[in-house]
Every structure is written in C-alpha cells, then in structure tokens.
C-alpha cells in the first residue's frame, strides 16, 4: 500500500525534516549496535537508506528492502557515491511473498504504520530472522489526533507487544524515546523503539 506514493516521491524524499528525524532515530539506535560487527542487518522498508546506510559501519552487512523500486534507486546511487561496500538492495514486499533471505537483525523504521495487516508482516519478518535474532521497530505511539484511511495512527505498546508475542517472539522491550512537533502528519507525536527477540 502507499506504494505509488513512495515511488513518486523517491527523488524528493530526503527533505531537511526527514533527515533531522532520521538523525534522532540514529542517535537512539547506534549505541545499541556496538559489538554488532558480526551481525547481518535487514532494513525493511528502507526507503532511500536515510537510516541504514548510516549503520553500515556498525554491522557485517546491510540489506535494504523496499517495495518501491524508485526509493531503492536513490539508495543505490548513494551506495555507489559513498563507496559503501557492504550494502545491497532488494525490491520486495514481504506481505506478498517472503524471499529466501535471513538476517540477525531486522530493522523497520516508520514502515509498520503503512502496512494494513500488522499480524501478517510481523509473522513474515519473524520467519526471516536467524534463531536468537532481533526485530527492531521504530514507529509512532498511538495518536488519537490522527485519522487516515491508509495509515495506522500509531501503536499502543501493550497491543503491539501482544501481537509480537503471537507472531512468536520470546520477549519484547518497548520505550518511547522522542517527542516532536508536527512530526506525524503535521501533528505533535512521539516515537518508540521496540526490540523483540526470536
Ligand atoms: C516513511 S518511509 C520510511 C523510510 C525509512 N525506513 C526511513 O525511516 O527513513 C516508508 C517506506 O516503507 C516502504 N513500504 C511501505 N509498504 C511496504 C511494504 N509492504 N513492503 C516493503 N516496503 C514498504 C515505502 O516504499 C517507503 O520507502
């Protein structure tokens, strides 16, 4: 869903606001990737790679997965330009078909809200994780000020924890790490990081 929107906006996706928000997310995530040089990271719904291309030095390899090919074209140009040698892209939609890939960490930033069937994508992401692997989700906290037919208005921690448990995850830790002005459909909102262990 929203695929066409992202195909169309790819070349103008990296605005100052989105780069600033990506930097806030990176500040939260980077410290947790110390000692991860032997881990493979799959960035699901990577977009133009604003987050995961900045994480490439922290891990063994990065696979940027997105259903919008145009977003990946932008990411590919960045990879070539900056000479990152351990990043690849994959045009795929795991809600339709799960390819034969495996990862130690699946990272998903501001993507879950765009996927209608939360349970299904959580199950499919569980299946690509190696045993003991982790799913890291960054998204918006539930926000009753927002109502949109195609986008979830954020997630309540306890509801999401329950869905992650049902998908098979052994444990989940969730915390809110940022409150910002007009960051979610022009509304003030907060973001969480959820880390689940397979
Ligand atoms: C808001 S952007 C976030 C991009 C990036 N994760 C970031 O934080 O900068 C959402 C991305 O998710 C992708 N996306 C949406 N639905 C998807 C799906 N079902 N499978 C894969 N990617 C999807 C879109 O194409 C888009 O690139």
């Amino acid at each position: 869903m929203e695929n066409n929107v992202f195909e169309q906006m790819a070349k103008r996706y990296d605005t100052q606001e989105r780069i600033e928000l990506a930097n806030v997310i990176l500040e939260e995530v980077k410290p947790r990737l110390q000692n991860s040089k032997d881990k493979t990271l799959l960035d699901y719904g990577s977009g133009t790679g604003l987050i995961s291309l900045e994480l490439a030095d922290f891990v063994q390899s990065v696979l940027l997965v997105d259903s919008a090919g145009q977003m990946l074209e932008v990411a590919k140009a960045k990879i070539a330009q900056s000479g990152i040698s351990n990043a690849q892209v994959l045009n795929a939609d795991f809600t339709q078909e799960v390819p034969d890939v495996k990862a130690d960490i699946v990272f998903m930033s501001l993507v879950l809200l765009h996927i209608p069937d939360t349970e299904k994508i959580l199950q499919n992401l569980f299946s690509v994780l190696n045993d003991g692997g982790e799913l890291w989700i960054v998204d918006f906290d539930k926000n009753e000020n927002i109502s949109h037919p195609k986008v979830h208005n954020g997630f309540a921690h306890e509801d999401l924890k329950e869905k992650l448990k049902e998908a098979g995850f052994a444990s989940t830790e969730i915390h809110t790490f940022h409150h910002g002005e007009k960051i979610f459909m022009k509304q003030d909102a907060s973001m969480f990081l959820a880390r689940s262990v397979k």
Side-chain angles (χ1 to χ4, degrees), residues 1-7 9 13-14 18 21-22 25 43-52 65-69 71-72 90-96 107-116 121 138 140:
M1 108 190 233
E2 297 283 282
N3 211 355
N4 290 341
V5 178
F6 288 111
E7 295 283 15
M9 72 193 306
Y13 186 79
D14 291 5
R18 291 203 179 95
L21 201 59
I25 295 167
D43 182 11
Y44 190 74
S46 64
T48 62
L50 278 180
I51 312 272
S52 54
V65 179
D66 205 288
S67 55
M71 297 292 259
L72 294 177
L90 174 67
N91 189 196
D93 183 342
F94 290 10
T95 66
Q96 303 301 312
F107 177 78
M108 176 160 59
S109 157
L110 308 180
V111 180
L112 195 60
L113 77 162
H114 293 288
I115 299 180
I121 190 63
V138 171
F140 293 108

Side-chain angles (χ1 to χ4, degrees), residues 37-55:
K37 263 293 192 189
D38 59 342
K39 301 247 188 318
T40 55
L41 186 137
L42 187 158
D43 182 11
Y44 190 74
S46 64
T48 62
L50 278 180
I51 312 272
S52 54
L53 292 182
E54 299 296 326
L55 300 177

Side-chain angles (χ1 to χ4, degrees), residues 18-85:
R18 291 203 179 95
I19 292 168
E20 279 170 18
L21 201 59
N23 286 336
V24 169
I25 295 167
L26 281 164
E27 286 308 304
E28 186 64 22
V29 170
K30 274 184 185 173
R32 294 177 165 78
L33 281 175
Q34 305 299 333
N35 307 318
S36 299
K37 263 293 192 189
D38 59 342
K39 301 247 188 318
T40 55
L41 186 137
L42 187 158
D43 182 11
Y44 190 74
S46 64
T48 62
L50 278 180
I51 312 272
S52 54
L53 292 182
E54 299 296 326
L55 300 177
D57 279 348
F58 291 77
V59 293
Q60 188 187 95
S61 64
V62 181
L63 181 62
L64 292 85
V65 179
D66 205 288
S67 55
Q70 291 302 315
M71 297 292 259
L72 294 177
E73 287 302 317
V74 177
K76 258 166 44 183
K78 289 185 194 172
I79 292 168
Q81 204 172 20
S82 51
I84 298 172
S85 59

